[in-house]
């Protein structure tokens, strides 16, 4: 039996100083931070205080809907 559950994720296009929506849409990616800790999967312990990064890296699945907030 196929799982038909679709999750919705809400992502901002930047931190208010700059919009990254053009990059998100052109390349089909989502960027969440902080990025200075390196790749999440290689540095999971460094991200222990960033629950939203953990959730995004482990729970977003193909078919989930992404809502891009601008501004």
């Amino acid at each position: 039996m196929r799982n038909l559950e679709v999750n919705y994720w809400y992502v901002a296009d930047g931190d208010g100083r700059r919009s990254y929506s053009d990059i998100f849409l052109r390349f089909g990616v989502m960027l969440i931070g902080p990025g200075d800790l390196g790749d999440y999967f290689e540095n999971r312990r460094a991200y222990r205080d960033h629950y939203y990064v953990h959730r995004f890296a482990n729970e977003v699945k193909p078919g989930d809907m992404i809502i891009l907030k601008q501004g």
Side-chain angles (χ1 to χ4, degrees):
M1 179 180 266
R2 201 171 132 208
N3 182 0
L4 300 178
E5 181 180 327
V6 174
N7 293 308
Y8 291 84
W9 299 89
Y10 187 69
V11 179
D13 72 344
D15 62 5
R17 294 176 294 200
R18 186 194 188 297
S19 170
Y20 293 94
S21 61
D22 56 329
I23 294 170
F24 288 14
L25 297 172
R26 183 181 312 146
F27 297 103
V29 298
M30 296 175 288
L31 307 171
I32 59 172
D36 59 336
L37 300 176
D39 179 270
Y40 169 79
F41 293 104
E42 295 175 6
N43 299 290
R44 290 175 196 241
R45 295 188 85 195
Y47 284 94
R48 70 181 169 274
D49 294 330
H50 301 281
Y51 177 69
Y52 60 93
V53 175
H54 168 79
R55 286 199 63 213
F56 230 68
N58 291 287
E59 295 181 27
V60 174
K61 303 288 184 243
D64 283 357
M65 300 297 292
I66 309 301
I67 301 165
L68 179 61
K69 174 189 175 229
Q70 293 183 297

